[in-house]
Amino acid sequence: MARLVVAHADWLVTVDAERRIFRDGALAIENDRIVAVGKSDEILSTHQADRVISARGKLVLPGLINAHVHNTQQLARGLANDCYIQEWLYGRVYPFEAALSPDEALLSSLLCQLEMIKSGATCFIDPGNHFPDEVAKAATQSGMRGVLTRSTMDIHSNPRGDLPRERFRESTDEALARLAEVIARWHGKADGRIRASSSVRNLYGASDHLIVEAKALAERHGLAMQAHAAGNHSGQVASLARHGCRDIERLD
C-alpha cells in the first residue's frame, strides 16, 4: 500500500527516459520512494494511500538542484548590496564569515535549506565554508540531499585584498588535513543523502601544491572537485598578477 498519493496535477513532468508528461497526473509514494506515476484515475485506482494530496492548479516535477549555494552566507543577505566583487568579498562577506559562530552558521544553513525547499530544490551543492559540520547537521534535519566541502585557501594576501586573520588563515597542510577530516566525517552520511567533495575556494587564494593535493584527495576517494574559477574579471587580474596566467590556463 502506498502511503501517499499526489493526484490531479494539471501537469506532471517526469523527466524520465521517455520524457513523459501527464495532464491530470498523479504519483504514488511508498516510504521514501516514488513507486508509480501516471494519470490520476489510473494511480488512484491501483494505489490506496493513507493520505491523498490534491495538486489541482499545480505543476509537479522532479526536485531542482541548486548547483552553487553558500549555506552559511544566508544571514548576510543585504550586507553587501550594490558592491563591486572586491568590496563584497574582502570588505563585507569574509569579515562576516570570520565573525560567525557555529550556532549562527547552523541557523543560516537551516534557513537556506528551508528557502530552497520552498522554491522547489531538493538537492544543493555548497562550494565551501568554514562550518561544513553545521551545513551537514542542517541537511540531516531538513531532509535535503547535499554535496558539501570545506573552504580551503593557503594564500592569505593577493591583489584583491587580505584574508581575515580569524579562521581564514591556515597553512597548506592544515587546510588539506581539515578537508580530509570533513570528507571522512560526512561522505555518505544521512543514509547517503550527504556527499562530500574536495575543493579549493578560490584559485588565486590557493597554491599550486594545495590545488594538486586537493585533486589527489578527490581522486583517492572518488569525489568531485570544486573551485571558484574564472568567476569575474578582478579574480582573473589577481591570478595573472600572481601566477602569470588565468584560472583555466593554470588548472591545465
Side-chain angles (χ1 to χ4, degrees), residues 6-16 18-28 34 36-43 55 58-61:
V6 179
H8 301 301
D10 281 17
W11 297 89
L12 190 149
V13 181
T14 66
V15 197
D16 63 7
E18 299 174 9
R19 297 289 185 176
R20 291 179 298 165
I21 298 175
F22 295 97
R23 295 299 308 270
D24 189 18
L27 58 87
I34 296 173
V37 295
K39 299 286 286 185
S40 292
D41 55 0
E42 173 192 349
I43 299 300
K58 301 290 193 301
L59 166 70
V60 175
L61 71 165

Side-chain angles (χ1 to χ4, degrees), residues 70-86:
H70 291 270
N71 278 255
T72 60
Q73 289 181 5
Q74 195 77 354
L75 295 181
R77 288 184 304 186
L79 181 67
N81 290 349
D82 302 320
C83 290
Y84 288 109
I85 186 66
Q86 184 167 333

